[in-house]
């Protein structure tokens, strides 16, 4: 996505993926900052990145998670472009209002919660660990999110998978579609070649569902504006690159 944009606009740069162990994250992040690298952070390092940047946007601080970083006047700055990207994707799906059921309590779920706060919707939190769900709800309410712990029956207008389940073919579904009631739409923040098993299962049960590629493009375009503030992101070129890469 970013390399396609760099090539199209003739920018002398390259975007590369770095697989980093949790134990090596702090040193790696510090080394990147020292040489002035800009980039993105994904699962499972978003919370560690938020703690490591020297300056952060309000969204980054509120989420406790950083997915975008860049150097600004010699200072490493962090932002969270997931929040506006998720909000825009759910709005496009037709769920700017109503009840959102979020699966998970990690950095991506925090971005969903902040998007829910902006949309002024009710947020229902589901986790396999009830204690984590209660802790997450306390955190969300501290930011004026209308949040509560999910209880059966699981009733909502839209369900969002903010867990990593689905990244590998062996993963179980984030939740059985048969356990959901009155759900009209779903957003899986996970993406991969083809579509996730959960998206296919939801569609089979009659629920309109999308995987995370739309959010990926939206947050990537927002990140581009942090990397190159004087150059608009070539969104359609970035979207085409993602579609080519994930075509099943």
């Amino acid at each position: 996505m970013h390399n396609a944009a760099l090539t199209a606009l003739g920018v002398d740069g390259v975007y590369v993926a770095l697989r980093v162990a949790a134990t090596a994250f702090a040193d790696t992040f510090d080394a990147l900052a020292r040489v002035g690298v800009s980039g993105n952070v994904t699962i499972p390092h978003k919370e560690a990145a938020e703690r490591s940047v020297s300056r952060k946007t309000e969204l980054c601080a509120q989420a406790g998670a950083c997915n975008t970083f860049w150097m600004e006047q010699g200072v490493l700055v962090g932002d969270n472009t997931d929040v506006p990207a998720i909000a825009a994707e759910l709005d496009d799906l037709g769920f700017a209002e109503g009840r959102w059921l979020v699966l998970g309590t990690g950095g991506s779920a925090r971005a969903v919660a902040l998007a829910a706060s902006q949309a002024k919707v009710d947020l229902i939190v589901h986790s396999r660990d009830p204690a984590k769900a209660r802790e997450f709800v306390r955190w969300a309410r501290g930011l004026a999110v209308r949040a509560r712990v999910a209880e059966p029956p699981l009733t909502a207008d839209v369900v969002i998978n903010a867990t990593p389940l689905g990244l590998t073919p062996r993963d179980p579904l984030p939740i059985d579609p048969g356990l959901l009631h009155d759900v009209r739409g779903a957003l899986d923040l996970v993406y991969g070649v083809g579509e996730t098993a959960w998206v296919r299962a939801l569609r089979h049960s009659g629920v309109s569902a999308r995987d995370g590629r739309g959010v990926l493009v939206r947050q990537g375009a927002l990140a581009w504006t942090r990397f190159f503030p004087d150059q608009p992101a070539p969104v359609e070129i970035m979207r085409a690159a993602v579609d080519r890469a994930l075509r099943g």
Side-chain angles (χ1 to χ4, degrees):
M1 173 175 64
H2 283 294
N3 281 325
L6 291 167
T7 299
L9 297 181
V11 177
D12 183 15
V14 63
Y15 191 97
V16 297
L18 296 176
R19 185 181 296 275
V20 181
T23 53
F25 178 81
D27 288 341
T28 303
F29 206 54
D30 180 65
L32 294 175
R34 287 176 182 274
V35 294
V37 169
S38 301
N40 297 109
V41 183
T42 190
I43 293 173
H45 299 310
K46 293 180 183 181
E47 290 96 334
E50 187 272 340
R51 295 190 297 268
S52 301
V53 293
S54 300
R55 181 160 61 85
K56 61 196 77 171
T57 65
E58 183 178 359
L59 274 181
C60 180
Q62 288 179 330
C66 167
N67 78 320
T68 302
F69 64 92
W70 68 98
M71 295 298 293
E72 193 171 292
Q73 297 179 337
V75 175
L76 184 64
V77 186
D79 195 5
N80 190 309
T81 61
D82 285 335
V83 177
I86 290 168
E89 190 76 358
L90 287 167
D91 186 31
D92 191 50
L93 273 165
F95 295 102
E97 300 177 347
R99 301 157 298 172
W100 296 4
L101 171 63
V102 63
L103 311 178
T105 57
S108 294
R110 286 172 177 257
V112 173
L114 289 172
S117 176
Q118 293 176 352
K120 295 180 171 56
V121 301
D122 294 326
L123 184 70
I124 306 161
V125 181
H126 182 272
S127 173
R128 291 176 294 179
D129 184 337
K132 286 186 177 181
R134 291 191 296 269
E135 180 183 350
F136 187 91
V137 165
R138 283 194 295 271
W139 165 82
R141 287 177 175 172
L143 293 172
V145 183
R146 299 202 304 261
R148 63 179 172 85
V149 175
E151 296 179 354
L154 298 177
T155 304
D157 296 295
V158 63
V159 57
I160 304 110
N161 175 34
T163 79
L165 291 176
L167 286 173
T168 68
R170 299 183 300 276
D171 286 346
L173 297 180
I175 197 167
D176 185 340
L179 298 176
L180 303 172
H181 298 270
D182 300 330
V183 169
R184 296 180 289 115
L187 176 61
D188 190 351
L189 297 183
V190 174
Y191 56 87
V193 175
E195 288 184 314
T196 64
W198 192 56
V199 164
R200 294 194 299 270
L202 286 161
R203 286 195 185 138
H204 185 71
S205 66
V207 175
S208 175
R210 290 184 186 177
D211 69 5
R213 68 187 67 193
V215 173
L216 172 67
V217 174
R218 292 179 192 274
Q219 67 82 21
L222 289 168
W224 176 276
T225 66
R226 279 44 166 187
F227 305 154
F228 306 104
D230 298 325
Q231 204 158 32
V235 178
E236 293 309 316
I237 289 171
M238 297 170 82
R239 180 175 291 112
V242 167
D243 286 343
R244 282 195 305 271
L246 300 183
R247 188 174 296 132

